[in-house]
Structures are given as structure tokens and as C-alpha cells.
Amino acid sequence: MWILLLLVVGCLCGFLLFRQNTLTVAPPSNPGQRRLSVIIPARNEALNLPALLASLRSQTMRPYEIIVVDDGSEDGTGAVAASYGVKVVKNGSLPEGWTGKSWAVWNGYRHATGDTFVFLDADIRLAPQALASLIEARERTDGVISVVPYHYTEKFYERLALIPNVLGTFAFTSIFEKSNPKKGLYGSCIVALREDYETINGHESIRAEILDDLFLGSKFVEAGIPVTNYIGGGLVSFRMYPQGIRSEIEGFSKGAVLSTSTLSPWTIVPVALWVVGLVVSESVFAFVGTSWVWPLLIGYLLYMAQLFYFVKYVGVFGIVMPVLHVLSTLFFLGIMVYSAYQVTVLGHVRWKGRQVRVGGRREL
């Protein structure tokens, strides 16, 4: 009975953490009210950029300028961006003490002339009303906003990201993060006024941090500027790792362990209970033929039903992955172990061909 109680409590923690704070559609706004500078850091993103730049062309609220920062790409990223008629900035060599993405975003800012910044990763896709909705949400909250995009997946290995994606949504939408002084932003889609960004000295203030988005959020909070995180729903989406499972492992492992340091303890405890309940329920396969199989099976089915509910808001993961969620859990646990190994043993993480020391320095 105590096992079933543990599983029920763990499952309930998921509902406690998950918030349907979905970005809603706003009516078209007057572009003259805000001059939007869209800044896109891009390193080897020739395949992703066309979809993003095409979606920016179709916006009901047209941006004032679009800046693509070509961060030392080797695949024609700059040429692809130029073919869309946007401003292309060649990123300079990476200075000591900076991480690659922060340096690219900072250089984009230095070339921007708008009064509102929309920072987008190259794999983002925007519905036609997305920019108008982002600006409306920022005006309503009178602070800085970010969006956890809806994750489209196609290949089996991409769908292994189910559990990491659900946990990421917990971390950014948890009600317990509202008062967290270390509250983070989701780096794929951030909107901020120029004056707010300059108040904290932007990405220069977190230039050495691997988790630039999380620490950027805490800088805004420290300055008294509200931070609000949304779920992308049908407006903001992405496909994260179409290049292969290696990039998926690198992407998730670079911050899996370090990101927990910014969460409120009030978030960490229910997350831990949810994960423990999930793992315990998945041990059902080891107890077939024993009396433990029935409470474990009930727990497994409860988590399965819950995951089917969550994926409506989190992304496209098919039918198989929520049913065989044990596969995604094993992937998540492997990511955590690999992330811990990189941080504690190697002292650096690898991302997009760069090795970044924990603490921010680049390895040659």
C-alpha cells in the first residue's frame, strides 16, 4: 500500500508543478508603437534559418529589423541569412571569459537600433500572430518574458526527450518559481525592452555563464524587473535536434546538472518526488509475477495518463513514447550521469564544436 501511496503522491506533484501558462493570441498591433529588433545568434544554422526567417516575414506585426549573428559558422549560415535580406553580423573571435552564445547575442545587441529586443534561437518557428502576442504579453506583465516552445519531434531518438521536456516545463512554469530570486528565462525566446536590458548590462553581465538564460533572468529579478515564463502552445515552437542524437545528448547534458542550482527548493522537492515516483513505477517490469506488480502497474498507468495530458502542451511525442515512458526516463537518467561527469570530472561541457569550461572559459 505504501508503494501505491508514493506513486500517487509523486503523480500529484506533477499536477502541482505544471501550469498551463500558455501564450495567447493577441490582435494585430500597431508596429509604430514598438520598434522590434529581432536578434538571432546562429552557429551552423543554415538548415534551420529558412523556416524561422520565412515565419518572420509572415508576421501580423512586422519587426523593425532582423539581425542574424553568424557565430563562426562553417555551413553557409551567413549566406542563407543574407538571401532573406536581413542584417548579417559576423561575430568576432571569442574573447577570454565569454561563452559563445552570450558573445553572439551581445554583438547583435550592439548593432540593434530598436527599442524592444526579441531574442530567438535559429530553430524557433513562429505562427503569424506570434510577435504581436509576445509584445502584448510583455506589455501586460510590464517586464521581461520568455517562452518554452512547443517541441515538434519526428524521429524516434528525438522523442526520447519527453521526460527532459516535461521536467523543463515544470522548472519554468512552477508556481514556486514566482518568488525565486534566481528565477530563470528560457533562452530560445526572450522579449525585453532596451531600457531593461541595458539596466542589467545585458549578456555582458553573465558573459562567463554556460546557462546564460537562467542567470540573465536572475539579473532582471535582482534589478526589480518582473520575469514571466510562458508555454508556446500554437504560437512559438521548435524542432530542437534534427541533426542527430549526438547533438541531442550534448544539448541536454550541458545544463542538466547545473540548472538545478537555480531552482527554488520548493520546486526541487516536488520535482524529486515526481521523478522518484516515475522511476519506481517503471520498476514494474522487474516485479512481474510478484505481489508488487499490481501497485506498480497502477502507478505506471497513472504516469502514462499524466504524460498524455502534459504532451498536449509540451510537444509532439507520438503514442509510443508516453506508453513506454521508461525509455525516456532511461535517456534522462543517462543525460544526468553524463552531465555530472562533464561538470565534476572533465570540468567542461561540449556544445556546437566548442568546449566550455564550467565557469565560462573556452578551451582551444
Side-chain angles (χ1 to χ4, degrees):
M1 182 60 69
W2 66 268
I3 296 177
L4 184 57
L5 179 61
L6 170 66
L7 300 179
V8 170
V9 169
C11 203
L12 289 175
C13 284
F15 288 118
L16 176 66
L17 290 161
F18 183 75
R19 287 291 176 271
Q20 300 175 24
N21 195 25
T22 306
L23 189 68
T24 55
V25 176
S29 302
N30 180 2
Q33 293 177 348
R34 289 289 182 192
R35 295 191 306 170
L36 307 185
S37 293
V38 177
I39 299 173
I40 306 166
R43 180 173 171 83
N44 297 328
E45 296 287 3
L47 294 178
N48 279 323
L49 276 175
L52 171 57
L53 296 178
S55 72
L56 284 168
R57 281 182 173 178
S58 67
Q59 293 301 300
T60 57
M61 183 177 189
R62 302 299 293 271
Y64 175 72
E65 62 185 352
I66 301 171
I67 300 170
V68 174
V69 184
D70 184 0
D71 185 18
S73 300
E74 301 170 343
D75 66 347
T77 289
V80 170
S83 71
Y84 281 81
V86 304
K87 184 186 297 185
V88 179
V89 174
K90 290 286 186 181
N91 210 23
S93 58
L94 186 63
E96 184 75 13
W98 281 80
T99 56
K101 183 178 179 181
S102 289
W103 177 238
V105 175
W106 182 248
N107 280 314
Y109 150 73
R110 292 164 67 185
H111 287 82
T113 58
D115 56 31
T116 303
F117 300 140
V118 182
F119 301 107
L120 298 176
D121 281 357
D123 56 5
I124 287 291
R125 309 292 180 265
L126 301 174
Q129 307 91 343
L131 280 185
S133 302
L134 287 167
I135 298 307
E136 190 277 334
R138 199 230 65 84
E139 298 290 334
R140 179 164 24 91
T141 58
D142 195 25
V144 180
I145 69 166
S146 78
V147 177
V148 181
Y150 186 82
H151 188 185
Y152 282 100
T153 65
E154 295 182 10
K155 298 178 181 179
F156 177 79
Y157 76 84
E158 294 177 81
R159 294 178 175 179
L160 290 172
L162 170 61
I163 298 303
N165 276 179
V166 169
L167 290 171
T169 304
F170 288 169
F172 285 96
T173 65
S174 167
I175 192 172
F176 303 116
E177 293 301 304
K178 286 187 176 181
S179 59
N180 182 4
K182 295 182 179 180
K183 185 175 184 179
L185 289 161
Y186 198 90
S188 293
C189 179
I190 297 174
V191 182
L193 295 183
R194 172 185 284 273
E195 60 197 77
D196 290 341
Y197 186 76
E198 292 178 345
T199 294
I200 67 165
N201 203 25
H203 281 74
E204 186 174 35
S205 67
I206 45 92
R207 59 186 177 273
E209 301 294 346
I210 297 171
L211 304 177
D212 54 288
D213 47 359
L214 297 182
F215 286 96
L216 190 69
S218 66
K219 289 291 183 180
F220 282 116
V221 173
E222 184 180 326
I225 299 167
V227 168
T228 306
N229 295 315
Y230 292 90
I231 301 173
L235 292 171
V236 180
S237 61
F238 58 12
R239 184 181 173 199
M240 294 181 75
Y241 304 113
Q243 301 88 353
I245 193 169
R246 178 177 177 178
S247 64
E248 183 175 32
I249 292 171
E250 286 185 355
F252 280 114
S253 65
K254 68 184 173 70
V257 169
L258 294 174
S259 62
T260 59
S261 65
T262 66
L263 292 175
S264 163
W266 294 101
T267 296
I268 291 174
V269 170
V271 165
L273 288 172
W274 188 83
V275 171
V276 168
L278 177 70
V279 173
V280 170
S281 77
E282 291 166 345
S283 69
V284 63
F285 300 103
F287 289 94
V288 174
T290 73
S291 61
W292 287 34
V293 71
W294 295 112
L296 291 173
L297 180 60
I298 292 171
Y300 188 95
L301 295 175
L302 284 174
Y303 271 97
M304 182 181 73
Q306 187 179 57
L307 288 170
F308 271 114
Y309 170 74
F310 288 156
V311 295
K312 293 190 300 181
Y313 303 93
V314 175
V316 174
F317 292 92
I319 296 175
V320 172
M321 197 55 63
V323 172
L324 297 179
H325 52 79
V326 61
L327 299 177
S328 182
T329 300
L330 290 172
F331 175 76
F332 163 70
L333 294 175
I335 287 294
M336 293 300 291
V337 170
Y338 180 52
S339 180
Y341 169 73
Q342 290 184 95
V343 171
T344 61
V345 178
L346 299 181
H348 66 249
V349 298
R350 183 175 180 83
W351 179 234
K352 295 206 171 194
R354 288 176 172 146
Q355 291 180 333
V356 184
R357 292 190 186 276
V358 176
R361 293 186 172 182
R362 177 187 173 188
E363 278 191 357
L364 300 177

